């Protein structure tokens, strides 16, 4: 197959043909899979807990092993893809991901499942940077590349929407391992089609492998992500602070080494470009806002409004559709409107969406939340399509894998921060606002103060009037936290819009 090392990318670059669009369809398969995998596990956790009887720590590691390894290896795998071939990394990652998914599906102990989840993170880190960076070499024409990236982002959003629905269906009809086995029928067509349709691409002058930089990049990301997750679960502790400081120190050493290297693993000069660093921050804050929304809204739909997991998942579908439609629709608009105007204008929709949540959640049923998610999705979908395209366009074609990996790392950090920051805020407000009625036993009161789900569980063991009083207090406390958290989410999106207005102006003026 053709080895693509350099390109003449731009508006007047050659337009891709039918084969390129078929290659895009193939590249959407791992994106769809990884996004489904991000949301489907939470639905299987109750059955996993019954089947494998994990300890509290083991249950946390079942969840955390995947994102910790994934975040730690994204930059490394993106750089290795630039060196050894992005299609090759995609095929290796897909093969490993499918094989380990079978291992996870039939894991007989919690320890084995944790190991499988860590291996899924290892191979998953090969998939996402490879798919996005391959788009840079396949679609050299910038208008076509914008559309391809919009489709790529749409596949990610579609997978997030499908996760709750697919998970609910599988768990109603099959054992918990089925949520892992869905990787096999998705990745087999990719392994067959990719060698035929996807051209190989790599950096023509990659330089030597730098094991120290690889180790430093992992030693930066894994402690930072672990610290954020630890704060989300146990609040601020000495251990969390230690890991955060360790990650920051390793990050400083990593940057210092890259600045001194002749052929750095990650070119730090990229971050001096407003279009690159600004787009990264827009992605980060947008994902924080989106994941934070998806943290508290399902709880409101299922626990307070009483919807089943399947129905609650379906209620979120219109918002995900809005993300997809906005991402595709913004492509022709972006040809005429510069990004420093277009991205803040798109994010204004997301601000409105969060304000709708803040002021219409209590006492108005599911419809305001569905509408709010649609409005929020319009802004996120449009902004992320433009920001992802700017990230790829700002980096040299030979370094597309490393640039894509930085973008994916921003996604992962955004997802972790969305849960830790916005989820932590709503939990703190819930605990401070909850007034447990007199007469509730101490153990049930303690469970109710922890989470809304704890209050729902305590409700089952209390007599009617007392249980109703506890649940009314818990629902009121949770919704007060939703209002505050939504206002903070709106501020985060406004910050992303401000960053875009300032930093993306440089790209627009070229």
């Amino acid at each position: 197959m053709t080895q693509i090392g350099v390109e003449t990318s731009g508006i007047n670059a050659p337009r891709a043909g039918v084969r390129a669009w078929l290659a895009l369809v193939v590249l959407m398969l791992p994106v769809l899979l990884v996004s489904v995998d991000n949301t489907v596990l939470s639905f299987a956790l109750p059955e996993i807990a019954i089947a494998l009887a994990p300890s509290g720590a083991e249950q946390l590691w079942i969840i955390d092993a995947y994102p910790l390894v994934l975040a730690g290896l994204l930059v490394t795998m993106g750089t290795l893809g630039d060196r050894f071939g992005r299609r090759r990394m995609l095929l290796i990652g897909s093969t490993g991901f499918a094989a380990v998914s079978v291992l996870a599906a039939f894991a007989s102990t919690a320890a084995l499942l944790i190991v499988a989840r860590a291996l899924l993170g290892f191979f998953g880190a090969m998939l996402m940077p490879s798919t996005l960076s391959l788009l840079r070499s396949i679609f050299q024409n910038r208008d076509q590349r914008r559309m391809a990236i919009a489709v790529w982002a749409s596949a990610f959003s579609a997978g997030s929407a499908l996760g709750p629905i697919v998970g609910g269906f599988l768990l109603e009809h099959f054992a918990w391992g089925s949520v892992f086995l869905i990787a096999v029928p998705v990745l087999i067509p990719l392994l067959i089609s990719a060698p035929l349709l996807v051209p190989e691409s790599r950096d023509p002058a990659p330089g030597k492998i730098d094991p120290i930089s690889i180790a430093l990049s992992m030693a930066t990301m894994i402690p930072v992500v672990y610290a954020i997750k630890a704060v989300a679960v146990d609040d601020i502790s000495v251990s969390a602070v230690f890991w955060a400081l360790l990650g920051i120190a390793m990050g400083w050493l990593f940057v210092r080494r890259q600045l001194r290297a002749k052929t750095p693993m990650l070119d730090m000069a990229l971050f001096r470009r407003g279009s690159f660093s600004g787009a990264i921050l827009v992605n980060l804050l947008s994902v924080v806002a989106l994941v934070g929304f998806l943290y508290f809204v399902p709880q409101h739909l299922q626990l307070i409004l009483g919807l089943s997991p399947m129905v609650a998942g379906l209620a979120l579908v219109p918002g995900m559709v809005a993300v997809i439609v906005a991402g595709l629709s913004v492509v022709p608009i972006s040809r005429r409107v510069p990004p420093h105007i277009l991205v803040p204008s798109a994010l204004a929709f997301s601000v409105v969406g969060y304000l709708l949540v803040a002021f219409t959640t209590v006492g108005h049923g599911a419809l305001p939340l569905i509408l709010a998610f649609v409005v929020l999705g319009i802004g996120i979908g449009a902004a992320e399509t433009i920001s992802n395209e700017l990230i790829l366009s700002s980096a040299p074609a030979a370094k597309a894998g490393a640039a894509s990996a930085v973008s994916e790392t921003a996604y992962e950090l955004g997802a972790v921060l969305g849960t830790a920051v916005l989820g932590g805020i709503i939990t703190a407000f819930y605990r401070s606002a909850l007034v447990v009625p007199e007469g509730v036993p101490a153990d049930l009161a303690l469970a109710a103060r922890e989470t809304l789900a704890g209050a729902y569980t305590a409700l089952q063991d209390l007599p009617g009037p007392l249980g109703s009083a506890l649940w009314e207090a818990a629902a009121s406390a949770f919704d007060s936290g939703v209002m505050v958290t939504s206002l903070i989410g709106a501020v985060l999106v406004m910050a992303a819009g401000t960053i875009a207005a300032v930093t993306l102006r440089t790209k627009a003026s070229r």
Side-chain angles (χ1 to χ4, degrees):
M1 301 295 288
T2 303
Q3 301 292 318
I4 301 175
V6 294
E7 61 160 332
T8 55
S9 177
I11 302 297
N12 298 320
R15 296 182 68 83
V18 174
R19 184 175 178 179
W21 294 105
L22 292 175
L24 173 62
V25 173
V26 173
L27 294 176
M28 286 171 61
L29 294 174
V31 175
L32 194 65
L33 174 66
V34 170
S35 59
V36 168
D37 195 65
N38 282 341
T39 54
V40 76
L41 180 66
S42 59
F43 284 79
L45 272 179
E47 290 194 24
I48 291 173
I50 294 171
L52 302 182
S55 65
E58 286 176 328
Q59 186 162 316
L60 283 176
W61 277 110
I62 289 172
I63 299 170
D64 293 344
Y66 176 81
L68 282 173
V69 175
L70 182 71
L73 287 173
L74 278 169
V75 173
T76 296
M77 294 304 185
T79 304
L80 292 177
D82 288 340
R83 178 182 179 84
F84 295 113
R86 295 148 191 157
R87 187 186 68 180
R88 177 179 296 176
M89 294 295 288
L90 177 65
L91 293 175
I92 294 172
S94 298
T95 303
F97 201 96
V100 176
S101 293
V102 176
L103 174 65
F106 295 103
S108 56
T109 65
L112 185 57
L113 182 56
I114 291 169
V115 171
R117 287 280 292 167
L119 288 173
L120 285 173
F122 176 84
F123 290 110
M126 300 181 187
L127 298 178
M128 297 303 286
S130 297
T131 58
L132 189 56
S133 57
L134 281 166
L135 295 182
R136 173 71 185 264
S137 58
I138 294 172
F139 295 95
Q140 298 184 26
N141 182 277
R142 190 166 184 185
D143 285 340
Q144 287 188 315
R145 186 166 64 237
R146 283 196 186 107
M147 180 58 71
I149 290 173
V151 173
W152 179 91
S154 297
F156 200 89
S157 300
S160 300
L162 286 172
I165 300 170
V166 171
F169 174 81
L170 289 175
L171 293 171
E172 282 184 15
H173 297 87
F174 306 101
W176 61 264
S178 59
V179 301
F180 294 104
L181 287 177
I182 58 175
V184 177
V186 172
L187 291 177
I188 287 178
L190 180 141
L191 292 171
I192 296 171
S193 304
L196 302 174
L197 296 171
V198 179
E200 183 62 283
S201 70
R202 58 168 57 94
D203 185 347
K208 296 180 180 180
I209 295 177
D210 184 359
I212 296 177
S213 289
I214 291 174
L216 287 173
S217 70
M218 295 175 62
T220 298
M221 291 305 306
I222 291 178
V224 168
V225 174
Y226 180 77
I228 295 170
K229 283 185 167 291
V231 170
V233 175
D234 299 319
D235 296 327
I236 296 177
S237 63
V238 174
S239 174
V241 172
F242 168 77
W243 288 111
L245 292 176
L246 176 63
I248 292 170
M250 293 298 104
W252 179 79
L253 291 174
F254 175 79
V255 171
R256 188 166 175 261
R257 185 171 182 83
Q258 302 315 296
L259 292 173
R260 294 183 174 185
K262 292 182 179 179
T263 54
M265 175 178 166
L266 179 62
D267 186 1
M268 305 310 296
L270 286 173
F271 292 94
R272 298 192 190 105
R273 303 182 182 185
S275 56
F276 183 84
S277 56
I280 291 291
L281 287 172
V282 167
N283 268 3
L284 175 68
L285 293 175
S286 297
V287 174
V288 170
L290 180 62
V291 171
F293 181 92
L294 292 175
Y295 175 81
F296 62 75
V297 166
Q299 295 184 67
H300 183 90
L301 292 174
Q302 293 182 57
L303 297 177
I304 293 180
L305 298 184
L307 302 182
S308 68
M310 177 77 79
V311 175
L314 290 172
L316 297 177
V317 169
M320 290 298 180
V321 172
V323 174
I324 295 169
V325 172
L328 296 174
S329 301
V330 78
V331 174
I333 301 173
S334 65
R335 297 171 191 156
R336 299 173 179 83
V337 182
H340 73 281
I341 295 175
L342 184 56
V343 173
S345 300
L347 291 174
F349 282 89
S350 297
V351 173
V352 173
Y354 257 122
L355 294 177
L356 283 173
V357 175
F359 297 112
T360 64
T361 297
V362 180
H364 291 86
L367 186 59
L369 284 175
I370 295 172
L371 177 61
F373 192 27
V374 169
V375 179
L376 180 79
I378 291 172
I380 298 296
E384 288 191 350
T385 293
I386 300 303
S387 59
N388 277 316
E389 197 277 330
L390 286 173
I391 290 168
L392 280 186
S393 298
S394 299
K399 303 296 183 184
S404 301
V406 174
S407 177
E408 292 303 323
T409 302
Y411 269 94
E412 287 301 316
L413 276 178
V416 173
L417 286 169
T419 302
V421 177
L422 295 186
I425 289 171
I426 195 170
T427 300
F429 269 90
Y430 168 78
R431 290 172 180 171
S432 64
L434 177 61
V435 178
V436 178
E438 292 185 8
V440 176
D443 58 333
L444 297 182
L446 181 63
R449 287 193 180 97
E450 283 298 310
T451 62
L452 182 64
Y456 184 81
T457 302
L459 173 66
Q460 315 307 316
D461 298 325
L462 291 173
L466 187 58
S468 298
L470 173 63
W471 183 243
E472 184 177 341
S476 175
F478 185 81
D479 282 340
S480 68
V482 167
M483 184 179 74
V484 174
T485 306
S486 299
L487 292 175
I488 294 172
V491 171
L492 286 176
V493 177
M494 290 173 64
T498 304
I499 290 169
V502 174
T503 61
L504 304 188
R505 187 180 298 273
T506 303
K507 186 71 179 180
S509 62
R510 277 182 200 164

